[in-house]
Amino acid sequence: MQRFWNWLKAIVFGRKPQSPEHQRAQALIAAIDAGGVPLNPARVNDIARQLGLEVSRKALVEDTITRIREALKYQRHS
């Protein structure tokens, strides 16, 4: 249902609907900002890879989250 409303808002306000990958990344960052701690580094890495980032299996979760934040900022301004 939420996807439908996002799609409808995009049509009405002339914005391109967000990709599911972008929505997952935003949800992850929102949860972290609200005080959540990502318990599954593989999930964080998967989200980063879906955004087009290359992520080593040895990368620190904190570094990957920082890179996801930067990718979201870049996508918002482009």
Side-chain angles (χ1 to χ4, degrees), residues 2-73:
Q2 183 63 36
R3 284 186 186 176
F4 171 76
W5 288 114
N6 288 341
W7 174 80
L8 185 60
K9 284 185 214 175
I11 297 295
V12 171
F13 296 110
R15 287 182 286 129
K16 186 171 89 172
Q18 293 179 345
S19 67
E21 296 84 14
H22 195 264
Q23 290 176 356
R24 280 183 72 199
Q26 282 188 322
L28 172 70
I29 297 301
I32 292 168
D33 290 345
V37 178
L39 299 177
N40 188 349
R43 179 174 176 251
V44 174
N45 289 348
D46 181 55
I47 291 170
R49 288 185 183 109
Q50 298 252 331
L51 289 175
L53 302 173
E54 290 186 24
V55 182
S56 166
R57 282 184 258 152
K58 296 178 183 179
L60 296 175
V61 175
E62 294 82 12
D63 294 340
T64 304
I65 291 169
T66 300
R67 292 181 64 210
I68 291 171
R69 284 182 192 275
E70 292 300 317
L72 289 175
K73 279 187 208 174

